[in-house]
Amino acid sequence: MATSSMNNAFRTALRNTNSLRRNSPLSSCVNIVGNAKNSYSTAFSVATSSCATVPCHHSPRARNAHADHHSAQDQRREHINGFRAFSSAAPVIDGSIAKGEDQSVVAKSGHEDAIDETARPQRTSQVKISEVLKAKHTVRWVEPVIPKSSTVRQAILTCIERKLSGMMVVDRDETTSDSSRERGKVVGLITSRDLLRMMAASIKDGKSSEEVMNLRVESQMTPINQVIYGRPDETIGMCRAIMSKLGIKCLPILNQGRVEGILTNRDLSDFYFDAKDRGGKKNYLADVSERVGLSSDTSMAEPPIFIRQHLASSHAPLFLNVGVAEYPHPFKSADGVGGNRRDFGPHDLSMDPELSEDAHFVKEAEFLDESGKDMQKLLYMGVADGVGSWREYGVDPRDFSHKLMAECETVLDEAAMQCSILGSKDGNHCRMISPAELLGKSYERVKAENIIGSSTACVALFDSIRHQLHFSNIGDSGIIVLRHIDSDVSGALRRDKSKDPQTEKKSDLRIAFVSQQQLKSFNHPYQMGWTGEEIVDKNSSFKLANDSCTSSVHILRGDIIIMATDGLFDNVDIDDIASIALRWEEENRFIDGGGIDARNKRWADGESLSDLSGQTIPKLAEILCQKARENSLDNSIDSPFALLAKENDIMWSGGMPDDCTVIAMHVVGEGADGLRPL
């Protein structure tokens, strides 16, 4: 009993632990998005300077009671208020290039078989990145920088002449010190992939080749506060994992405020081999000679059977059946939010969605397709999670998030009406609106009405013809895609056997996609917001639509798509979400004992069960919200939020009570009732 009381007292003292870090929308911090931290949060920020104490995010359970945590974490962070440009010369290295392959040494401890642990042979994945940079720079030193005033033409020539995949963009007019070695301040990163995207977008917009070549790189570079980086003391394995998880090809290596080099996948591959392993007659005969040149009758192979099944219906449109559930914070009332059940009082847990600081929309709109000739119906959806601590400043946290989502619907309505009037006569005003563009236009309208507040936001667009889900996300809301994968294929997928033994797999339902979240630091997501005046600090927690994580996912028939606020992802593990979705499928006979083979046969026979899907998909959203609430009130579990808190040196157990909104979507081959995808 005493232990329980002490634990409750401790939890009460920590109720306000994380709110400031999570929610300071105006905090002035330099942030470079960094390491992957958990299954649903792929990036967190490192590097901080003076952070202002302003409105905090979400629950009053999270306030700032961890100054010691701040101090300890600050000691681990790089001080990068201003990046400095590269050293003017390559590092001087004595002797041969070390690759971590030290020989084992017998320790002189009286035991002949005792081995010095520090002298064991080192796996290449455990070699420090500093060794890779030494090897790279010793063989060939090229300064990977380009002035921000450079054009696309100059950037392309620089990439080709210097054999670079990426370059740091520098401002030659600014320096970070008086040292002659500091030749410009680093302001961003641009890669060859960025240049290709810039050219493709410009050509699509009808710009001439000369206009494209004269565009300036600073308009398309990744700004300094969004650059993902590594450290010299990190290993090859860690950097390779970061690059793979985040889909990046160039990783700047930062040391004490200086970018020491840019690491690429080729650098990591080259490190495996000495120069003598790559050149010479023997290596050519052994590795290259029989692999040069394709015969004149070479052709492409047929796709695998499991791919052909999907390709057979790839030209048929797909539809989404959509269900929405929204739960407010369990201790929320019209008067505010209780920190715990005792504060809330002897009332039933809150169920009124009008009290929720979350907001959402689902809207169908019709625009011209890419051909510019035919009209196409598109389905848009979005969620926004309001910042709860604005309440302390006399601002209703619901105002901003609810207005943002309402304006998304208004923008779509107005654009669709204009398109129906003009038709194909005005292709520029009748084209489809991207999720980022929709967020941007809606935000400008909210700002024009002087709505004070902030929120995270995730907006998506489903293209039923091309089977694509396009989305833009700011903050810690997100999207996951669940998919049944053929047994032969799923058996070949990489998995963690310690966490995912084959004996535990009862179906072929897999997590096909998890969207990237954007966090300034633990429990402190980036947000869209308005304080009544423009914020000029580029390192603020406030971000614009063009700063969002924007991507696309190919969707297949039978997929289950979950869009939700962090009230779900903080309390329910993604594997548990997949298990709940599977039970929903089994209960409604979308998947039975025959697995996907039986499902595919049912589809081939014309039994789609689309109507049943449309009737029951709201139940899946409801069940997920219920599970999130149940876990949020359970102090005995280690929720995803608690696990991540402990990884960031914050003592936390149980769930995280919060508002929760879930939009569940089931991809079907026919619209419910044969009418429309809603």
Side-chain angles (χ1 to χ4, degrees), residues 431-465:
R431 60 180 178 81
M432 78 173 185
I433 302 176
S434 70
E437 186 180 0
L438 180 59
L439 262 179
K441 289 183 176 182
S442 302
Y443 170 73
E444 290 300 324
R445 293 186 176 207
V446 173
K447 188 171 69 170
E449 294 191 29
N450 201 34
I451 305 296
I452 306 299
S454 60
S455 76
T456 64
C458 182
V459 170
L461 153 66
F462 178 65
D463 185 336
S464 63
I465 303 299

Side-chain angles (χ1 to χ4, degrees), residues 150-161:
S150 300
T151 63
V152 169
R153 176 184 284 106
Q154 293 169 326
I156 292 174
L157 290 174
T158 301
C159 279
I160 294 174
E161 292 171 356

Side-chain angles (χ1 to χ4, degrees), residues 478-497:
I479 294 173
I480 64 173
V481 178
L482 306 175
R483 176 173 300 160
H484 285 276
I485 302 177
D486 180 87
S487 298
D488 294 336
V489 179
S490 61
L493 296 178
R494 182 183 182 277
R495 59 189 175 86
D496 186 342
K497 295 182 179 180

Side-chain angles (χ1 to χ4, degrees), residues 321-547:
N321 286 326
V322 182
V324 181
E326 185 174 12
Y327 279 28
H329 189 295
F331 305 139
K332 185 170 291 184
S333 67
D335 299 325
V337 183
N340 52 34
R341 188 57 190 259
R342 178 177 296 178
D343 294 341
F344 183 60
H347 314 292
D348 292 335
L349 296 177
S350 178
M351 291 297 296
D352 184 359
E354 293 298 321
L355 297 176
S356 177
E357 288 147 21
D358 287 358
H360 70 275
F361 80 94
V362 179
K363 189 73 177 178
E364 190 176 67
E366 194 170 18
F367 299 107
L368 282 175
D369 63 11
E370 290 187 352
S371 70
K373 298 178 181 178
D374 301 318
M375 300 296 287
Q376 177 185 353
K377 289 184 177 180
L378 301 169
L379 188 65
Y380 291 82
M381 68 289 300
V383 294
D385 184 358
V387 176
S389 295
W390 281 102
R391 187 181 293 105
E392 298 177 6
Y393 297 81
V395 175
D396 189 336
R398 297 172 295 182
D399 290 348
F400 189 90
S401 57
H402 285 237
K403 186 63 175 176
L404 184 66
M405 294 293 97
E407 288 297 343
C408 284
E409 290 193 79
T410 302
V411 169
L412 290 172
D413 283 336
E414 293 177 358
M417 177 156 306
Q418 185 179 27
C419 186
S420 65
I421 296 172
L422 297 176
S424 59
K425 297 178 182 178
D426 190 347
N428 291 331
H429 293 88
C430 203
R431 60 180 178 81
M432 78 173 185
I433 302 176
S434 70
E437 186 180 0
L438 180 59
L439 262 179
K441 289 183 176 182
S442 302
Y443 170 73
E444 290 300 324
R445 293 186 176 207
V446 173
K447 188 171 69 170
E449 294 191 29
N450 201 34
I451 305 296
I452 306 299
S454 60
S455 76
T456 64
C458 182
V459 170
L461 153 66
F462 178 65
D463 185 336
S464 63
I465 303 299
R466 292 168 183 78
H467 305 177
Q468 293 284 327
L469 182 72
H470 309 280
F471 71 89
S472 292
N473 185 53
I474 294 180
D476 55 2
S477 296
I479 294 173
I480 64 173
V481 178
L482 306 175
R483 176 173 300 160
H484 285 276
I485 302 177
D486 180 87
S487 298
D488 294 336
V489 179
S490 61
L493 296 178
R494 182 183 182 277
R495 59 189 175 86
D496 186 342
K497 295 182 179 180
S498 64
K499 300 179 181 178
D500 186 25
Q502 190 66 38
T503 55
E504 292 185 6
K505 283 297 179 187
K506 299 179 181 179
S507 79
D508 293 325
L509 187 65
R510 297 291 187 271
I511 300 163
F513 176 79
V514 180
S515 65
Q516 180 181 327
Q517 297 186 3
Q518 293 181 313
L519 306 177
K520 193 177 183 71
S521 60
F522 169 70
N523 206 30
H524 187 168
Y526 288 114
Q527 309 147 31
M528 300 187 81
W530 177 245
T531 64
E533 58 185 21
E534 296 288 351
I535 297 178
V536 296
D537 182 6
K538 295 182 179 180
N539 303 308
S540 164
S541 297
F542 284 178
K543 296 297 177 183
L544 300 175
N546 56 11
D547 298 319

Side-chain angles (χ1 to χ4, degrees), residues 180-243:
S180 60
R181 293 166 63 109
E182 315 300 333
R183 302 191 318 282
K185 181 179 180 181
V186 177
V187 294
L189 169 72
I190 192 160
T191 67
S192 56
R193 185 186 297 170
D194 294 331
L195 293 172
L196 286 173
R197 286 173 178 162
M198 183 191 305
M199 294 171 65
S202 300
I203 293 172
K204 190 174 181 180
D205 290 340
K207 294 182 179 178
S208 67
S209 58
E210 190 63 24
E211 288 178 309
V212 173
M213 288 295 103
N214 288 328
L215 292 173
R216 292 174 56 150
V217 296
E218 64 177 327
S219 64
Q220 292 294 321
M221 69 181 185
T222 301
I224 191 66
N225 62 337
Q226 295 181 26
V227 173
I228 298 165
Y229 72 96
R231 302 182 183 89
D233 58 348
E234 293 175 334
T235 64
I236 288 178
M238 176 177 290
C239 288
R240 192 184 292 277
I242 292 172
M243 296 170 76

Side-chain angles (χ1 to χ4, degrees), residues 50-119:
S50 56
C51 291
T53 305
V54 241
C56 314
H57 194 69
H58 295 290
S59 169
R61 177 181 179 183
R63 291 281 189 272
N64 187 30
H66 56 282
D68 291 340
H69 167 66
H70 264 295
S71 176
Q73 199 168 61
D74 288 344
Q75 292 177 12
R76 295 196 301 268
R77 291 173 173 169
E78 305 284 354
H79 182 68
I80 53 171
N81 287 330
F83 276 8
R84 290 173 288 175
F86 295 82
S87 167
S88 60
V92 178
I93 304 173
D94 295 327
S96 60
I97 301 171
K99 293 196 176 183
E101 302 294 337
D102 298 332
Q103 295 182 351
S104 298
V105 179
V106 177
K108 305 296 183 180
S109 60
H111 300 282
E112 294 181 359
D113 58 345
I115 303 297
D116 183 356
E117 293 294 331
T118 62

